[in-house]
Amino acid sequence: MALECSLDALSTIDASDPEALQALLQTCNNALLDPMLWVWAIGLTVVCAVVGAFIGHAKGRWVSGMIWGLALGPIGWVVVALSRASPPKCPACGLTNAANAKFCGHCGINLKVAALNADRASLNRNSGPRGE
């Protein structure tokens, strides 16, 4: 009869038989050290971290999304999805501002105009000369 690693097996085993206890312990060790179990556990952990990073990316916090997903899995996804988006940064000075701010509280620049100009500048840099 093959032993299985379960609480039922533990409750039915004779505690005065050291060989039976040793056999049950060996069965449980083999179950826990099975490489396929570890491949699945690590694979699911990586998938949870990647999904958390994608959810966090939408909030501007991909690193914290990855960490929450890595630590708590689907519960971490909910934590990240319900968290606030990261505050916008000023394109001129790089400091953070309130989410609904029209002007930077540090350098006074108009945030909407500066963001549009920064987007246009990056598009012009990436598109190259017009003649190509």
Side-chain angles (χ1 to χ4, degrees), residues 45-84 86:
T45 303
V46 169
V47 167
C48 287
V50 169
V51 171
F54 279 126
I55 294 170
H57 179 69
K59 298 280 190 168
R61 298 173 179 228
W62 71 270
V63 175
S64 65
M66 182 179 63
I67 291 171
W68 279 107
L70 185 69
L72 297 177
I75 296 170
W77 304 341
V78 173
V79 169
V80 173
L82 296 177
S83 68
R84 290 187 194 179
S86 62

Side-chain angles (χ1 to χ4, degrees), residues 3-15 20-22 24-25 28:
L3 284 175
E4 71 176 62
C5 185
S6 67
L7 291 176
D8 289 334
L10 184 61
S11 66
T12 60
I13 199 162
D14 182 18
L21 288 173
Q22 184 65 33
L24 182 62
L25 179 63
C28 291

Side-chain angles (χ1 to χ4, degrees), residues 7 39 42-43 45 52 57 60 72 74 78 80 82 92 94 103 106 116 119-120 125 127:
L7 291 176
V39 167
I42 292 170
T45 303
H57 179 69
L72 297 177
V78 173
V80 173
L82 296 177
F103 295 94
H106 307 284
L116 287 175
D119 289 342
R120 287 186 193 135
R125 269 195 312 271
S127 65

